[in-house]
Amino acid sequence: MAREWLESPSIGVTLAAPPLKQEGFKMCGTSKEGSAVPTVLIDNPCTRVTRWSFAGRGDNTGWHRHNYDYLVVPVQDGVLEIRDAEGAISRSELKVGVPYFRKRGVEHDVLSGNDTAFAFIEVEFL
């Protein structure tokens, strides 16, 4: 599936337009970025640590592909809905302090499934 890619080195991911086959899907704004707020906490030659903050249900990171292996550490219990490149949505229940690891190349949009604010820390291995 053809996509437009927008490099975003400041947050270590490549942002992408959503798959064309997804009817009714709307990105927030025209920048192809989501409504979740990334705050880079550490950025050095070895790692980049980013706090992702979601104000509420439906806030999203925007379509992106990870350029590095990474791990996620939830800072509170909550639910994330992950939309993959084919448009399938999986639901993940996260527990505070329980990390998970993914290899580079993962392509998705991450949406908050919470009615209240939610955040996680992402650590990328550069």
Side-chain angles (χ1 to χ4, degrees):
M1 180 177 308
R3 293 180 189 250
E4 290 182 36
W5 296 98
L6 172 65
E7 293 297 323
S8 184
S10 66
I11 58 173
V13 298
T14 302
L15 301 172
L20 297 176
K21 70 180 186 179
Q22 289 186 306
E23 295 179 17
F25 182 78
K26 240 183 198 180
M27 293 298 293
C28 299
T30 58
S31 68
K32 298 182 186 168
E33 293 183 15
S35 52
V37 178
T39 304
V40 176
L41 304 172
I42 297 171
D43 193 1
N44 64 44
C46 299
T47 58
R48 180 178 300 117
V49 179
T50 306
R51 178 186 175 98
W52 283 93
S53 300
F54 301 77
R57 184 176 299 277
D59 255 5
N60 69 315
T61 59
W63 282 98
H64 61 281
R65 178 178 53 205
H66 287 267
N67 296 329
Y68 307 101
D69 292 349
Y70 68 99
L71 68 85
V72 168
V73 182
V75 297
Q76 61 205 93
D77 292 349
V79 174
L80 291 177
E81 296 170 348
I82 313 299
R83 187 184 317 253
D84 68 19
E86 286 72 45
I89 297 176
S90 60
R91 186 174 164 90
S92 297
E93 292 196 28
L94 305 179
K95 298 295 180 187
V96 65
V98 179
Y100 66 85
F101 173 85
R102 298 289 183 267
K103 298 292 280 177
R104 73 181 183 156
V106 171
E107 179 184 341
H108 58 201
D109 186 15
V110 178
L111 299 93
S112 174
N114 305 286
D115 291 327
T116 59
F118 180 77
F120 63 80
I121 301 294
E122 175 183 78
V123 180
E124 298 170 279
F125 303 103
L126 310 181

